Amino acid sequence: MWTFFFLGIYGRMAAYLPVWCVSLLCALLARIARLTSLKPRVERGMRRFPGIRDDDVEDLTRRHIRFLVDVFHDMLYVAYHHRPMRRVRATVKREDEAYLQDALTNDNGVILVSLHLGNFFESIGYLATAYPVNLVVRGESNPRWEAFGMRMRQKTGIKTIYSERGALKIKSRLKAGEIVVFVIDQYILPFFYGPNHPLREIVPRVAQLSGAPVIPFYTLHDNRYTIVRFLPPLTEVSSSGLEDIIMQGIREHPPLWFWWRRLGKVKRGQRNHKGKERD
């Protein structure tokens, strides 16, 4: 309870600070975060991922932690500023949007698939200013975190579909010609649930049943803008093909992937009785 009380106070303050002040604050918090258990968790996650060299891990970890702090403050801005979308519209660009626009000319809606890469919430919120966007989410076990997430989605105009018993709602929104967004890295990557988990087949199954085209997109960054980059519609939708797209995105932009700390989490049974990680 106290965590959310102070979060609300901090969020309301941070949402109205000048940009340069928030940047300095983020730099300070990122330095502090690197002194916590977050740093070794991120490093463990990167070393588990194929293609990340050991000599790159320290620099990537530093950049990733700063990215996490920046995204956290962007979320606070959306949640607590009275007009957040003005800034969001000014800082997000779309690339190859013609793929999406062409796909929307059919009567089956469009399935957009992404991973937790870059400021994904900001990019989806920006899309909701131009299109009817539905985001498929899993409900948070903590009702206060769930309320915080719902607050952000409502402020940006994103419509929520809970994955639990959401099949009929997904089907009806696609039939109405709307966009349904799946953020799928935790479903697809075998690191989290294994290579044979049924969650891997959610998007291929929905695509087959609805006939909706599936378009992947990445959320990237340059020095000033958040960039939403659309890929061509998939000619074949499979869990292995989606995994390849996700792995490529992570390899090309490792500091921007949100879940290094989850990948580096030491699971129960991997520690000895003194609390140290087993070899």
Side-chain angles (χ1 to χ4, degrees):
M1 178 178 175
W2 285 107
T3 299
F4 289 91
F5 175 76
F6 287 111
L7 180 65
I9 294 175
Y10 181 79
R12 287 174 174 83
M13 176 191 71
Y16 290 94
L17 289 174
V19 173
W20 65 266
C21 187
V22 174
S23 181
L24 289 176
L25 184 60
C26 288
L28 174 62
L29 292 177
R31 284 180 174 270
I32 294 172
R34 293 203 300 272
L35 301 176
T36 69
S37 61
L38 176 62
K39 181 180 178 181
R41 281 184 61 172
V42 170
E43 290 176 339
R44 280 197 300 270
M46 289 187 178
R47 291 190 170 96
R48 287 189 61 191
F49 195 85
I52 301 293
R53 300 186 314 178
D54 279 350
D55 54 349
D56 292 334
V57 167
E58 184 172 353
D59 178 62
L60 291 176
T61 298
R62 176 185 58 80
R63 292 161 59 193
H64 174 68
I65 290 175
R66 175 58 192 264
F67 158 73
L68 290 180
V69 173
D70 288 344
V71 167
F72 173 69
H73 282 81
D74 287 342
M75 289 181 172
L76 291 178
Y77 182 86
V78 170
Y80 292 108
H81 196 277
H82 71 290
R83 296 183 66 180
M85 297 312 294
R86 175 184 293 182
R87 192 182 80 176
V88 170
R89 281 190 289 266
T91 57
V92 179
K93 295 193 301 185
R94 290 172 277 189
E95 294 184 355
D96 297 320
E97 189 180 359
Y99 292 130
L100 173 60
Q101 294 171 336
D102 291 345
L104 284 170
T105 60
N106 69 59
D107 297 326
N108 297 321
V110 173
I111 299 170
L112 291 182
V113 293
S114 180
L115 62 159
H116 292 82
L117 187 78
N119 195 336
F120 55 92
F121 185 84
E122 188 173 75
S123 65
I124 297 169
Y126 182 70
L127 289 173
T129 67
Y131 306 98
V133 170
N134 305 270
L135 178 62
V136 180
V137 303
R138 289 180 291 175
E140 296 285 348
S141 58
N142 187 317
R144 292 188 174 90
W145 279 122
E146 179 57 39
F148 180 77
M150 180 61 76
R151 179 190 182 100
M152 289 193 297
R153 295 192 291 271
Q154 290 174 340
K155 292 284 287 288
T156 55
I158 299 170
K159 291 181 279 188
T160 299
I161 299 178
Y162 289 101
S163 57
E164 299 86 357
R165 301 181 180 179
L168 291 178
K169 187 171 288 188
I170 291 170
K171 182 179 178 181
S172 67
R173 298 287 172 84
L174 289 171
K175 189 175 181 180
E178 298 185 5
I179 294 171
V180 174
V181 180
F182 289 88
V183 187
I184 59 170
D185 41 356
Q186 291 182 87
Y187 301 156
I188 295 294
L189 291 180
F191 306 113
F192 295 113
Y193 294 109
N196 301 311
H197 197 280
L199 284 175
R200 283 172 57 89
E201 301 303 323
I202 288 177
V203 173
R205 190 177 302 119
V206 172
Q208 181 181 19
L209 293 175
S210 66
V214 177
I215 297 178
F217 73 95
Y218 293 144
T219 304
L220 308 175
H221 297 268
D222 61 18
N223 292 330
R224 181 178 176 184
Y225 293 101
T226 297
I227 301 169
V228 188
R229 179 175 298 162
F230 297 97
L231 303 183
L234 299 179
T235 56
E236 180 182 348
V237 184
S238 66
S239 58
S240 60
L242 292 171
E243 181 181 336
D244 289 343
I245 291 171
I246 290 171
M247 294 286 280
Q248 179 180 346
I250 296 172
R251 287 193 183 101
E252 291 178 352
H253 312 281
L256 301 181
W257 190 47
F258 196 73
W259 288 129
W260 288 120
R261 69 190 185 281
R262 180 163 292 183
L263 185 60
K265 183 178 180 180
V266 178
K267 296 180 180 179
R268 188 175 300 175
Q270 292 180 307
R271 293 179 180 270
N272 61 24
H273 66 282
K274 293 182 179 180
K276 296 181 180 179
E277 186 179 0
R278 291 180 179 174
D279 296 333

